[in-house]
Amino acid sequence: MSELDTAARSLGLAVRGAFHPGGGDGAPADTGTLVLLGPDEPNFWAIFTASPEYRDGQAHPLDRWSKRVVSELATPLGGTGIFPYDGPPYAPFLLWAERTGQSWPSPVGLLVHDTAGLFISFRAALALRERIELPLSPLRAPCDSCAGTPCKTACPVGALVEGQAYDVPACMAHIRSPEGAACREGCLVRRACPVSQRFGRLPEQSAFHMRAFLGE
């Protein structure tokens, strides 16, 4: 798995968890190991913004970049790339993330990762026929030892509240308002997570995702 992670990082991605799927996991038939791939922070941003997909002015540059580089990674391994935006039906990435033992539901409902915190995102999954030996996963979510759980009070409009559905209209309205300028540089809830703060996500990358979220 370390060799696969090294290869992924050379392309701007990193292994963010893996597991051996069973019959009810929704993985392709004959998958021995399913590997989740996310951005390699902070190196990802420089690699992506230098890519032809980012510079050609066409729609969905990140999705197109992801398909190209994951294909480069998968082909020599005889693997298959699976992408969260291909569907319907859509692959169960949230289920897969929890199955890795490296991601858990956070108090605000978003997934939290052991090293990426609330900045965890998945560009693709890699389905491999080989059953690769996997390292031991953390036993506890980082939230279990988080002092004060700042994520629960970070949203200025209460769009992400423990036990409630994400209030998307309230979130978008605030981000578009003058008062939402700080949120346009990255979700304040995600940024409040102590694990997120150690992850290395660049503000310009978060701003890129916020513009995409707003459809700009």
Side-chain angles (χ1 to χ4, degrees):
M1 186 58 65
S2 62
E3 292 180 0
L4 176 57
D5 185 55
T6 298
R9 288 179 189 271
S10 72
L11 298 170
L13 298 173
V15 172
R16 298 296 177 203
F19 69 101
H20 301 130
D25 287 322
D30 300 324
T31 299
T33 307
L34 195 72
V35 182
L36 296 186
L37 300 169
D40 175 27
E41 311 287 10
N43 300 318
F44 156 79
W45 188 243
I47 293 173
F48 169 57
T49 55
S51 71
E53 291 85 1
Y54 181 80
R55 294 171 177 271
D56 65 13
Q58 301 302 308
H60 309 298
L62 183 52
D63 292 346
R64 293 185 289 115
W65 176 87
S66 299
K67 289 212 168 183
R68 176 174 61 82
V69 299
V70 170
S71 176
E72 291 178 20
L73 184 64
T75 299
L77 301 172
T80 300
I82 305 167
F83 301 89
Y85 43 83
D86 282 351
Y90 297 98
F93 271 77
L94 298 182
L95 168 67
W96 291 349
E98 291 190 52
R99 286 279 284 115
T100 69
Q102 290 185 243
S103 293
W104 304 263
S106 72
V108 291
L110 302 172
L111 281 182
V112 62
H113 185 266
D114 64 323
T115 59
L118 293 177
F119 276 144
I120 185 59
S121 63
F122 302 106
R123 295 312 312 160
L126 187 59
L128 303 173
R129 289 181 176 272
E130 181 182 358
R131 186 179 175 90
I132 300 173
E133 183 177 353
L134 302 177
L136 293 176
S137 298
L139 296 178
R140 298 173 59 196
C143 304
D144 294 344
S145 57
C146 181
T149 53
C151 63
K152 294 199 288 187
T153 57
C155 181
V157 292
L160 286 162
V161 177
E162 186 172 14
Q164 298 183 23
Y166 173 32
D167 190 342
V168 178
C171 176
M172 296 185 76
H174 178 72
I175 296 172
R176 288 192 171 109
S177 73
E179 294 77 14
C183 298
R184 293 182 69 90
E185 297 178 1
C187 171
L188 296 182
V189 172
R190 296 182 190 272
R191 290 158 60 185
C193 172
V195 182
S196 298
Q197 293 170 11
R198 300 191 296 268
F199 186 50
R201 167 77 69 85
L202 298 175
E204 51 265 46
Q205 181 186 341
S206 292
F208 169 86
H209 290 297
M210 278 299 186
R211 291 193 297 272
F213 172 59
L214 295 174
E216 297 178 352

